[in-house]
Amino acid sequence: MIKLNIIVLPLLFFITGCNNNNNVIEETLESKIDKIMEQEKDFNGIIYIGSVENITYSKGFGYSNRENKMEFDENTVFDIGSVTKPFTGIGIIKCKELGLLDYQDTLEKFFPEVPEDKKNITIKQLLTHSSGFVDVIGNDYEEISKEMYLTQSFDTQLLFSPGKRYEYSNVGFSILGIIIETVSNKSYEEFLSEQVFLPSEMKTAGYISPDYDDTIIANGYDDLGVLSTPGANLGKPNEQPWDIDGPYWHLKGNGGLLMSANDINQYYKFIKADLIDEVSKQKMYTKHLREDETSILYRGFGWGILDTNKGPAAKHNGGNGIFFADFAYLIEEDLFVFLASNAYRESQDDLLIRLMQELTITIVND
């Protein structure tokens, strides 16, 4: 899964100006984004922008299945990449609310066999990428059991003493997924379904549990020739080498959840309401750790947190060289932005840069 990039969030829903005849022209958000997309010819996916009450912009570009010319809509299911991590974070928060763990609990509590150098790593350090674990130990689709994943992760050399600094780690979030299973006596997906997806009325979120027609899952296209010939149809994410209950642990917990733009909207509405309590929200959105001394991004519990002129924003993105997703929302105001693509581009920041140029939320760099 790919690390966070910086985004400027759109907030203004229209801009007013004057033409040569001094008549007021009102340019809607839709027309502004349409103009941007006219220049983004290689974007293949959906853009979804809204608030609790309204979807302000929803439009697909290209096809979810090019061979059958199936268009995107709000129910098209994508691999959301590392946007999975905030959902793992919510899973841990729900475990805390249920009294199953504490953020200062250490790995030794859950895994007595953990080696000496890792036994005092805390859940908080895993959530904020400050554990010292390496990024990855294998390919997303490489077969590996839970037990072997833990053994290999524990056998790695830490990059630094736990808590000393930030270093993005997919391994850390897969271990969090295993902790969810350990304390709940449920599978990772079962627990998230019961505690997050079902309460939020998310219909297509998960790895294997949603009951839907597979035709709504977008095929992945290797436009950059990362894994095959450029433009090759690599099929659907759930057609890749998976275990019987979803991806193997190189991916599970840190990436690869499937869901639609409508699911993102449902999650957003419920997180703005009462999916978690106010104390949990405060923990989730606290700037626990700065990525480095020059970064504008801080680490919350599962989220990247940045300051804007409209207050703090929660942000995460991710991809695997085929699929890409980006999700951000204002924490104190009412606005979310979601992008998803089934064909990775040379620079996934291109669209975000255009939004930065055309729209008006600014990042506050302290």
Side-chain angles (χ1 to χ4, degrees), residues 76-92:
T76 302
V77 173
F78 290 85
D79 178 338
I80 64 166
S82 282
V83 181
T84 299
K85 290 181 176 68
F87 289 98
T88 299
I90 289 285
I92 290 291

Side-chain angles (χ1 to χ4, degrees), residues 90-119:
I90 289 285
I92 290 291
I93 287 169
K94 295 303 291 186
C95 287
K96 163 64 173 171
E97 290 184 350
L98 293 169
L100 301 177
L101 53 73
D102 191 80
Y103 303 130
Q104 295 303 323
D105 286 343
T106 64
L107 289 185
E108 186 179 29
K109 177 176 179 178
F110 309 105
F111 312 112
E113 73 281 10
V114 67
E116 185 71 20
D117 65 328
K118 301 175 181 70
K119 70 178 184 179

Side-chain angles (χ1 to χ4, degrees), residues 18-60:
C18 296
N19 63 14
N20 291 334
N21 296 321
N22 293 322
N23 294 321
V24 174
I25 300 171
E26 190 174 90
E27 188 172 14
T28 65
L29 175 65
E30 181 176 9
S31 65
K32 287 175 66 65
I33 301 249
D34 284 346
K35 285 181 180 179
I36 293 171
M37 296 312 298
E38 287 174 5
Q39 302 179 42
E40 299 287 338
K41 302 297 185 183
D42 59 344
F43 180 77
N44 204 81
I46 192 167
I47 301 175
Y48 212 54
I49 300 173
S51 62
V52 169
E53 296 296 331
N54 296 296
I55 297 302
T56 311
Y57 189 92
S58 174
K59 191 169 292 188

